[in-house]
Amino acid sequence: MFGVIRRKLRHLYSRILWLLWKRPRSKVVIKRFRKLNFKGHHKAELCKNKSTSDPNGLLVESQSGRAIRIATFNVAMFSLAPAVSEFNEWVVSNHENGSNKKSLLAKGDFPKSILKQSPLHASLDKAQSLSDSEILPRSNLKVSINLPDNEISLANSRLLASIESKEGTSDTIMGNVSGRHQVPARSPVCFPFIMNYCEGTERFTCSRSILEVLREIDADVLALQDVKAEEEKNMKPLSDLAAALGMKYVFAESWAPEYGNAILSKWPIKKWRVQKIADDDDFRNVLKATVDVPWAGEINFHSTQLDHLDENWRMKQVHAIIRSNDPPHILAGGLNSLYGADYSSERWTDIFKYYEKLGKPRPRSEVMNFVKSKGYVDAKDYAGECEPIAIIAKGQNVQGTCKYGTRVDYILASPNSHYKYVPGSYSVISSKGTSDHHIVKVDIMKVNASAQKNAIRQCRKLKRKVVKITPPCSATGVRESTPPPKIFVP
Amino acid sequence: KELLVGGKIDAWKIPSSESDTLNQWAERSRFRVGDHLVWKYESGKDSVLEVTREDYANCSTSNPIKEYNDGNTKVKLEHPGPFYFISGSKGHCEKGQKLIVVVMSPRHTFTAIISPAPTPSPAEFEGPAVAPTSSATTFQVGLLTALGVLAIYVGFLM
């Protein structure tokens, strides 16, 4: 029995010696020291790992300063412009036919082009491109010094021209514009010139598609009104337009079948809903989408179009919108109401008379006054400083967004919004004949807390790490607390 | 409800000025399903063609959906959405004798809203980089534990 134990002990001893590479007892103590050193080295690696995550945090922080470009546009797809050019041959043939057939059209039937850009916006574009070399710099929009010819001004110049005794006065007031318009009335010999002018303009406008115009804007989030989307054709042509722009979309049918409001976004649309603001005879709606911007978090974006004729209905609709108690959001679209402060009394009188002559309802501003009284911030207040002086001379301090030269398309930020407008980024960009309306554009940035303590920063970094780790674990992970449920107002 | 096109008897003609186009009349009117549009014109000299959107844009009169030339045309708006009308007389459409009418949706057919569900693209984070480090950490900790136990065992035997 004792001998058996002795043999087993010897066997174990030799085995242990072999495992320890046959070293004496004193060296075993030295190995323990080495183990402790190894632990220290591992901690150093942990520190390195922690330090490597800091640049990511810094990168995220720097990215949070990027601007987001939003735009709204009434595309009026039941009108003439195609959403996407289908074939070059078709475009060429259509172009030729259009130019031939429409050469006799009156000059006033052609939509006018209005372009402008502020120098601040140009410098801002450069700054953005420098900060992010990976993303292509946004195309600089061209500046045109042509005066905007809206129908009201045209009608006024014609009225002035018709009165013989005031021709001199109209020349002084209207300048080149008046002279150019008076030419056909004076001499029929100039008619071929007008024909050539119309033909050139038509050739320019006929080849445009909505895709080309929107691609130039290079907006990140778009609100479109009067968009066509046929369900039986896979939501064409809206789906074609969205695919060509590389954007995701949501659509809500509005006051006519297959036509409605749409929101396009370069980033995922986390959720959307449609709020009906219907009356007995009208079916407008508000399309609400939550877009997940990678560096700024969520942004609530609403697209709507109010009634185009009756201000009382617009008031009902805007009441329904504001009564729905949404979280902070950006409201964009065609509110189809004027804002009295945009126009001088003379200009307002001209607009009034022209609407009366057409038989349109009188211009009203109750909707915009109400919206402003509720604390909505108008993007127009962040326009560039190089407004053309000629527009102010005409009695209004805003660029018109429709063919009457009045402003009916707006971008408004709700009170307590998490985003602010970038000064100088507001602009009205020409739709170049694709629609009766023009495109309203502005850049927004997330509001950041100015100063924080070191401990709070560490806590925030830790939270950010948690945020990063969560997505691969769960596909349906909620990155932020969901906003309070929206109350549907029937 | 009957709507006289252009708002007056002699409206279906080449517009005399830019402030008197047919589409401007359409812009200030509401059209509902069941309404009738009425055209008054001289039979034999003019006609009314209902066409597609492309034919409206190109003023093409060769293939209309429907054609009317009786001088007193009445068209019922049977479905909501846009209708495109042009004049059948040669050259009239190019001079502006054309009309877009958009009929509003009736209330009882507005129960279904066409809203496609978007498919969000997966988020682009750097999550996968974290897993190998933590795995390696766990492995090394286990190794250390084993070595520690072995050392204790050796001490006990000696």
Side-chain angles (χ1 to χ4, degrees), chain A residues 344 387-398:
Chain A
S344 68
E387 296 283 347
I389 194 70
I391 295 179
I392 299 176
K394 289 189 174 183
Q396 72 184 53
N397 58 2
V398 288

Side-chain angles (χ1 to χ4, degrees), chain A residues 16 42 56 77-79 81 94 101-102 105 151 158 251 255 257 272 279 281 283 307 358-359 403-404, chain B residues 18 24 27-28 30 53 57-58 80 84 94 104-105 107 110 114-115 118 123 126 133 137 140 154 157:
Chain A
I16 291 164
H42 186 66
N56 289 332
M77 274 192 188
F78 45 75
S79 184
N94 184 50
K101 291 181 178 178
K102 296 184 178 178
L105 280 174
E151 290 192 2
R158 208 170 302 114
F251 173 80
W255 67 286
W272 56 267
D279 289 289
D281 293 313
F283 292 92
D307 189 68
L358 286 183
K403 64 183 179 181
Y404 303 122
Chain B
E18 292 105 17
Q24 278 175 350
E27 286 170 6
R28 62 178 187 265
R30 293 192 195 279
R53 182 176 172 275
N58 299 326
Y84 302 92
E94 289 85 355
M104 292 162 54
S105 302
R107 187 183 187 96
F110 198 67
I114 304 173
S115 303
E126 299 178 355
T133 306
T137 305
Q140 288 172 359
V154 170
L157 288 177

Side-chain angles (χ1 to χ4, degrees), chain A residues 293-467:
Chain A
V293 181
W295 60 83
E298 289 186 358
I299 174 176
N300 296 313
F301 198 71
H302 297 183
S303 171
T304 188
Q305 188 191 32
L306 302 187
D307 189 68
H308 61 294
L309 287 175
D310 197 332
E311 186 80 357
N312 294 324
W313 275 1
R314 288 195 282 265
M315 284 298 287
K316 290 180 189 174
Q317 291 159 357
V318 79
H319 271 283
I321 292 171
I322 293 179
R323 199 184 301 124
S324 58
N325 287 326
D326 287 314
H329 59 273
I330 305 285
L331 176 65
L335 303 188
N336 292 328
S337 175
L338 306 188
Y339 184 51
D342 291 340
Y343 311 94
S344 68
S345 57
E346 288 181 359
R347 176 64 175 171
W348 188 267
T349 305
D350 291 341
I351 297 168
F352 191 93
K353 288 180 178 177
Y354 190 68
Y355 276 32
E356 202 170 46
K357 183 180 176 183
L358 286 183
K360 281 171 73 77
R362 294 168 294 164
R364 304 274 288 274
S365 59
E366 283 86 350
V367 165
M368 285 308 298
N369 292 338
F370 175 74
V371 164
K372 295 240 177 176
S373 70
K374 289 296 179 181
Y376 278 76
V377 183
D378 195 345
K380 188 266 296 181
D381 299 334
Y382 297 81
E385 295 175 354
C386 68
E387 296 283 347
I389 194 70
I391 295 179
I392 299 176
K394 289 189 174 183
Q396 72 184 53
N397 58 2
V398 288
Q399 183 60 61
T401 65
C402 70
K403 64 183 179 181
Y404 303 122
T406 53
R407 187 166 75 107
V408 295
D409 301 287
Y410 298 88
I411 295 176
L412 300 161
S414 71
N416 304 322
S417 176
H418 304 312
Y419 292 85
K420 60 179 182 180
Y421 298 117
V422 175
S425 65
Y426 175 86
S427 182
V428 177
I429 298 161
S430 170
S431 56
K432 295 172 182 171
T434 59
S435 172
D436 288 343
H437 290 246
H438 298 296
I439 304 158
V440 180
K441 171 199 76 66
V442 76
D443 294 343
I444 55 175
M445 277 174 57
K446 183 129 190 184
V447 178
N448 279 329
S450 59
Q452 288 182 0
K453 292 183 178 178
N454 195 15
I456 298 173
R457 284 181 184 175
Q458 287 181 352
C459 183
R460 191 173 62 180
K461 288 180 182 178
L462 186 66
K463 187 178 180 182
R464 190 170 294 124
K465 290 177 185 176
V466 171
V467 167

